[in-house]
Every structure is written in structure tokens, then in C-alpha cells.
Amino acid sequence: MRKARIKAGNLKRKVDITLKANAPREVNTEKVAQILQGAMQEFLVHGYAGTSMDRVAGTAGVSKATVYSYFEDKEALFVALVERLAQTEFQMIFDDKLIQGKPEDVLRRIARSLLNEIFSNPDYLTFMRLMIGESGRFPNLAKTFINNITKPAIERLTHYLENCPELKVPDPEASARIFLSSLVHHIQLQEAMYAKEIIPIESDRIINTLIYLLLGKKE
Amino acid sequence: MRKARIKAGNLKRKVDITLKANAPREVNTEKVAQILQGAMQEFLVHGYAGTSMDRVAGTAGVSKATVYSYFEDKEALFVALVERLAQTEFQMIFDDKLIQGKPEDVLRRIARSLLNEIFSNPDYLTFMRLMIGESGRFPNLAKTFINNITKPAIERLTHYLENCPELKVPDPEASARIFLSSLVHHIQLQEAMYAKEIIPIESDRIINTLIYLLLGKKE
DNA sequence: GTCTATAGATCGATAGAC
DNA sequence: GTCTATCGATCTATAGAC
């Protein structure tokens, strides 16, 4: 419980002198949160290699030595940050109330909710960029992203498509992936890669066409 | 013609002493190609910030000073490399002979061709990763990518869907984007982000479902 | 035209004062 | 527990020999 050194194993031999601890040590979690906040600002914008620990410390408002007292090294800080973001900050799972009503409305709500979540939070886009950009050098972080964000979304939509009596898709899982991939990649192109300045298109056309293809309904 | 300093403007005042040039100066283009080859290996793997000019020079088999004699700085080298790759190396445009025959066969050929191009060249995946990862810091390179690779593919498939009498999609452009985005993002997840180890799926299921959705045909 | 050698800045990480 | 000061390595970029 003491000395919240991340990157378990290889801990300093501070062993069992936990007795006689001084004061309630709730300040630590504040400092950790402060550091992670600074780390997020820097890593999201400049990437792993482009971020210096000096700037992280500066943005966090602490000294560099303090950063190193909570995180073993730069890589451990980066991993801790990304895992936290993937587990708590950025989610793509849709609420229960979204999947009620006519299939057409449900699919449109899901699509709009997904796009809105990304649009309303600028960091979301940057986080996706970071994950893809660093996936070659941090495969485990990419897998964390898949496990916590991509997988639940696919499974949830697949389950809905499977159990929706109105629509008869031969392969619900493939259909779910197509639905989500189209939307995510659409945002990736239009917003993250500035395609909206070159080959613009309204998101609603993508949504409407997806719904039309899945339901065979004109609208 | 002499002194192929990239990043025009700000040229060294070597002006017009082009007379009395020594020997046929075809060696320069070789050196440039050599440097770009080394730069590709390094930048594709380590990203922009993660790549050092020392390593570029080493991999290219020349001295660092030679690199700087052909490219003004690290950024100019990176931009020159990416523009060259986007214009010549990596293409996603489909051959004319792909779009002949039954729509179902055409769409399947296009999809297979796209996936095969990415699968057969490991650098393609890394290049996509690099473009997305650096798009925040190099917006113009992202636009080059869109202009040279994404835009032609979308336009080509849109044109085919528009003029194909057998299939009646209400929005050919949106349909074309959905078709391509599904495939590209599928590869991005499965291969670049290791989703195939967590939520595997055969590419043919994606392809078949896309064709089914567009044609309304069971297969 | 290409090299070696090096300048000057910044990097990750730590020692020691308080 | 947090700071300042600093180390050694590495970075971009260049000067000068040949």
C-alpha cells in the first residue's frame, strides 16, 4: 500500500518498515494523478519518442525527480498512462438504453453516439492516433486497446444483431465489424488525416447507407 | 540540375558555376536513392522522433555529413521520403482488368487485391502506421497520403458502383467508402494492432458480407 | 563530394541537500 | 517526499581535412 511504485517487481528493498508510517498518505495519489495528467498532455501530442521527461515534469508541475520517484522510467510511465486511459478514460461501449426500439433507430443511435463521443472529446482522436502510431513499438498496449475498447464494442453489437428478429444478416459478427470499422475509419480519415478538406462527406451519409445496407430499407 | 538540395529556397549560393562540371554527375542520384533507402528503413520502424540521423546515415552506408549535403535537415529528409513513398511505392489503385465481369466477382477481386497488396508487402502496414501516427505533427504529409492513395481509390470504386447496372445502391460514394474503410480498418486492427490474436476473424467473412450487403445476394 | 571530428543542445536518469 | 544540480549518453547539425 505504500510507495506506489508502478511496474511491479524489481521493487526497492524498502520491505516491511510499514509500521510507524507518518500521517495519512493520501497525498501520493494526488501527485500520481498530477503526473499522469501532465504525461497525458505531452504523450498524446508528441508521441512516445517525441516526449521528454523534462516536459512531462514541467507540465505536471513537479520536478523530474518526483516523476522518477513514482515511475521507474519513461516507458513505465507511458505504459501506466495508456493502460489507465484505455481502461477508464476512453470507452466505446454503448449504453443499454441505446439498444431499445426499432433496429433502424438503434443502429442510428449507436452510430451517432460513437461519432459524438469521438467528436466531443478531442483527446479521443489523438489517443487513437497514438495507439496506432506506437503499436509497433508497444504491442502490448495495442492489445490492451483491443481488449478494452474494440472487443467489447464488437461483441455488444454482434449480440444485438444476432438477437434482433427484424433483421436477417447471414453473418452478424462480420456485419458488426463492418458497421464499426466503417465509422471509426471514416473519422480517422476525415478528422485525423484531414480528408475532410480534400474529399469531404457528411457522416450522416455513411450512417444512412450503413443502415440501408443492413436493413434493406430506403429512408 | 546540380546540387540536388531538397527543400527548395534557401539554397547555398553555389550559383552558376555549373560550367566546367567534373565528369557525368549521375552518382548523385545513386547517393540520394541510397539515403532514401536507409531513411525508409529507419523512419518506418522507429517513427520520426525515434529515428536519429546517425542511424539513417549508418543504414544508408554514408556519413552523416553526406546526408546533410543532400537534405537540408531531418524534417526535409522525412518529408521527401514520405512524399516519394506516397507517390510511387505504395498504391491502392486497382487495375483495369479487375473491374470486368459480374459485380460479385469484381468486388471480390478488388477486395482480395487490396488485402493482398497490404499482406504481401510488410512495409505497407508500417507505412500506414507511420502516416497515422505522424499525421498530427505533419498534417501536409497526411494530406499527401489522402490525395495520392485514399482519394483515387474512393473515386475509382465510386465510379464503378455508379455505372454498374446490376446493383442499385442509393449512395454509391458512401457505399464505396464503407467498402474500402471496412477492409482497411479490418487490416489495421487485425495486423497492425494484433487483434488477430484476441478477436480473430477470417478476411473472407468480411469480404463475403460486404458483397452480400451490396448485392443482396446470398452465397 | 565525402569523410572524421566535434560543437552545442537536450535527452533519460540519479545523487544529495533540505 | 520533493527539490536543485548534474552526470553521461545521444541528439541535430556543421566545420575542416582530403
Side-chain angles (χ1 to χ4, degrees), chain A residues 32-93:
Chain A
V32 169
Q34 221 178 93
I35 294 170
L36 287 174
Q37 178 62 31
M40 181 170 83
Q41 290 186 43
E42 294 300 321
F43 280 126
L44 283 187
V45 175
H46 302 102
Y48 179 76
T51 293
S52 75
M53 294 296 266
D54 281 273
R55 292 177 57 90
V56 168
T59 305
V62 299
S63 79
K64 195 162 53 167
T66 300
V67 175
Y68 276 99
S69 78
Y70 288 98
F71 299 92
E72 192 172 12
D73 53 20
K74 184 183 178 183
E75 185 171 325
L77 171 60
F78 183 65
V79 170
L81 170 72
V82 170
E83 286 183 342
R84 179 178 157 279
L85 292 180
Q87 280 160 15
T88 72
E89 200 83 4
F90 302 108
Q91 289 297 323
M92 209 166 65
I93 201 62

Side-chain angles (χ1 to χ4, degrees), chain A residues 86-87 90-94 143-160 176-177 180, chain B residues 198-199:
Chain A
Q87 280 160 15
F90 302 108
Q91 289 297 323
M92 209 166 65
I93 201 62
F94 2 105
K143 291 174 192 170
T144 297
F145 182 89
I146 297 292
N147 267 314
N148 290 279
I149 299 179
T150 307
K151 186 182 175 192
I154 291 176
E155 286 176 347
R156 195 109 159 84
L157 183 55
T158 299
H159 183 260
Y160 173 75
R177 287 175 185 253
L180 296 172
Chain B
I198 302 168
I199 41 175

Side-chain angles (χ1 to χ4, degrees), chain B residues 79-213:
Chain B
V79 170
L81 170 72
V82 170
E83 287 184 340
R84 180 178 156 279
L85 292 180
Q87 280 161 15
T88 72
E89 200 83 4
F90 302 108
Q91 290 296 322
M92 209 167 63
I93 200 61
F94 1 103
D95 205 83
D96 266 343
K97 68 177 191 298
L98 288 183
I99 59 170
Q100 289 174 356
K102 288 191 298 178
E104 178 181 337
D105 297 337
V106 171
L107 292 179
R108 180 167 280 110
R109 266 199 299 270
I110 290 178
R112 288 249 171 79
S113 160
L114 191 151
L115 295 189
N116 185 60
E117 192 154 18
I118 299 179
F119 270 114
S120 62
N121 186 0
D123 284 339
Y124 206 114
L125 211 65
T126 317
F127 183 62
M128 294 200 321
R129 243 197 305 235
L130 184 71
M131 284 294 87
I132 299 171
E134 305 292 354
S135 58
R137 292 170 286 276
F138 296 92
N140 287 336
L141 291 187
K143 292 175 192 170
T144 297
F145 182 89
I146 297 293
N147 268 314
N148 289 279
I149 298 179
T150 307
K151 186 182 176 193
I154 291 177
E155 287 177 346
R156 194 110 158 85
L157 183 54
T158 300
H159 183 261
Y160 173 74
L161 293 182
E162 278 170 348
N163 296 14
C164 182
E166 287 92 335
L167 31 94
K168 285 264 168 278
V169 287
D171 192 333
E173 185 185 339
S175 301
R177 287 176 184 252
I178 287 170
F179 189 86
L180 296 173
S181 281
S182 299
L183 294 173
V184 170
H185 193 247
H186 164 68
I187 293 292
Q188 213 174 90
L189 289 179
Q190 300 302 117
E191 302 299 322
M193 306 200 64
Y194 315 99
K196 66 176 168 186
E197 301 176 19
I198 302 168
I199 41 175
I201 189 173
E202 295 160 35
S203 296
D204 274 346
R205 281 177 62 190
I206 305 289
I207 296 178
N208 288 335
T209 303
L210 276 172
I211 293 174
Y212 170 86
L213 291 175

